[in-house]
Amino acid sequence: MLQSKKSLTILGIETSCDETAAAVIDSNKGLIAHSIFSQVTYHKKFGGVVPELASREHIKKLLPLIDELLYSNDLDLQEIDAIAYTAGPGLVGALLVGSVLANGLAFSLSIPSIPIHHMEAHLLAPILEGDDLQMPFIALLVSGGHTLLVEVQKKGSYKLLGQTLDDAAGEAFDKGAKLLDLDYPGGPAIAELALSGHPGVYQ
């Protein structure tokens, strides 16, 4: 359990898909530091994320990323009160890398490890920016692998109102871009192409 103190310093770890990320949050000051390593160049030639490749890159990059994040911001592991990590949903192998490191590191430091639900983190992320969210509210959650309409009743209480029947929006962009021989990832490529489009061509 987290001991009561004026402020808590949390190390966050994210490895749900193809980006390796870490951040340090202070419960009073907010975001202190963050760092991310993108694997886009590794997956580009395949036209999409290769799960096994993603997992291997997380293994290579995660610990050095955390070390550099702490060092470059004059932080020490001994200052960390807990470690939060993405527990799912996501790519199983990729999630496992973050989970094993987070739990192992927390155990070695005798501090708690906190599993975080990926979708709940998306829903509540605006709170980290200081937004005064009034609950309940309706959220449209659009990410690479999920497109959901959710009623956020309160923290920890959510009702799924609807979702895509097949591909999520992000997947549709990538597949559409591949059919059009555009670069990966598909979202930015299609968005750039759309800027040269002509509204009203199709009625």
Side-chain angles (χ1 to χ4, degrees):
M1 295 292 291
L2 289 171
Q3 295 182 352
S4 177
K5 54 185 293 189
K6 289 185 177 180
S7 68
L8 296 171
T9 304
I10 311 294
L11 171 64
I13 292 173
E14 152 62 9
T15 61
S16 63
C17 192
D18 63 330
E19 291 181 329
T20 311
V24 177
I25 297 281
D26 182 281
S27 58
N28 289 335
K29 300 176 184 177
L31 181 65
I32 296 176
H34 66 95
S35 185
I36 185 169
F37 174 78
S38 174
Q39 299 180 15
V40 167
T41 55
Y42 295 90
H43 300 282
K44 190 171 185 176
K45 62 182 177 182
F46 301 105
V49 177
V50 181
E52 177 64 22
L53 179 58
S55 301
R56 292 182 182 184
E57 288 304 312
H58 286 312
I59 292 171
K60 293 178 187 176
K61 302 295 184 182
L62 183 54
L63 194 54
L65 186 80
I66 293 172
D67 285 340
E68 176 59 27
L69 174 69
L70 296 175
Y71 177 78
S72 61
N73 290 279
D74 294 321
L75 297 168
D76 190 277
L77 268 178
Q78 302 304 320
E79 300 175 55
I80 303 298
D81 297 301
I83 300 176
Y85 63 95
T86 307
L91 301 177
V92 175
L95 289 167
L96 188 60
V97 176
S99 172
V100 168
L101 181 61
N103 282 287
L105 202 54
F107 180 80
S108 71
L109 296 168
S110 298
I111 59 176
S113 60
I114 307 169
I116 302 296
H117 191 283
H118 189 173
M119 297 300 100
E120 183 177 34
H122 278 303
L123 290 171
L124 300 181
I127 294 175
L128 294 176
E129 299 297 324
D131 291 356
D132 185 22
L133 287 177
Q134 299 297 317
M135 299 184 187
F137 62 86
I138 304 295
L140 176 61
L141 197 164
V142 182
S143 68
H146 302 86
T147 302
L148 312 172
L149 190 64
V150 181
E151 179 185 357
V152 180
Q153 299 166 340
K154 60 181 180 179
K155 290 181 184 177
S157 180
Y158 314 100
K159 181 179 180 181
L160 179 63
L161 301 177
Q163 60 184 325
T164 49
L165 297 176
D166 40 43
D167 286 341
E171 295 167 328
F173 273 120
D174 286 341
K175 290 180 179 180
K178 194 169 185 178
L179 289 171
L180 295 170
D181 291 324
L182 299 176
D183 282 342
Y184 171 83
I190 290 177
E192 183 178 355
L193 190 62
L195 293 175
S196 62
H198 301 286
V201 170
Y202 298 100
Q203 299 298 325

